[in-house]
Amino acid sequence: QVQLVESGGGLVQPGGSLSLSCEVSGRIFRVYDMGWFRQAPGNQRELVATMTSGGNTDYAHSVKGRFTISRDNVKKAVYLQMNSLKPEDTAVYYCNADIVPVAGAMRRDYWGQGTQVTVSS
């Protein structure tokens, strides 16, 4: 079964930095878009950043200039470098990937279990 595992979350002071990683394992034919979403208590899940297999990116307005998404298509991994963190960045961050697990199968979204990011003094 396809698995996405996030790591790198934790507690950081305002203005600090964190780097998140997500690795994909299991039977995989091809990985398309990959990205990060986040969800704070009482809020809906929102897009943070995405990157296509060709390198095109999309960022939420609230993180532009502070966060950078990158990926390694050989390792089937996606990363999120977060700088100048603010308390409003506090949320559970989820890795997402569009994957065809085997030739002929449908393309669909897969999700990681989430990693907690807390920005507080």
Side-chain angles (χ1 to χ4, degrees):
Q1 183 178 1
V2 175
Q3 300 283 341
L4 279 68
V5 180
E6 304 101 332
S7 63
L11 175 64
V12 65
Q13 291 185 311
S17 298
L18 283 174
S19 182
L20 305 182
S21 298
C22 175
E23 297 184 0
V24 180
S25 63
R27 186 170 65 177
I28 299 169
F29 178 72
R30 187 171 181 179
V31 180
Y32 293 88
D33 297 352
M34 303 184 77
W36 296 90
F37 292 71
R38 67 186 181 186
Q39 187 169 21
N43 295 339
Q44 297 191 49
R45 188 171 299 184
E46 64 176 352
L47 181 147
V48 177
T50 60
M51 178 177 282
T52 69
S53 59
N56 292 327
T57 60
D58 188 23
Y59 292 92
H61 291 295
S62 61
V63 307
K64 286 182 178 179
R66 300 188 298 120
F67 292 9
T68 302
I69 188 171
S70 61
R71 63 187 286 176
D72 187 323
N73 291 331
V74 176
K75 295 181 179 179
K76 297 186 288 291
V78 63
Y79 312 96
L80 186 68
Q81 178 64 47
M82 304 183 292
N83 299 322
S84 302
L85 283 162
K86 305 175 181 179
E88 48 264 47
D89 295 318
T90 296
V92 176
Y93 284 70
Y94 296 91
C95 177
N96 170 264
D98 293 336
I99 296 173
V100 176
V102 62
M106 292 190 299
R107 174 176 172 175
R108 57 159 283 186
D109 280 342
Y110 290 83
W111 294 89
Q113 81 287 348
T115 185
Q116 177 70 47
V117 172
T118 302
V119 184
S120 176
S121 59

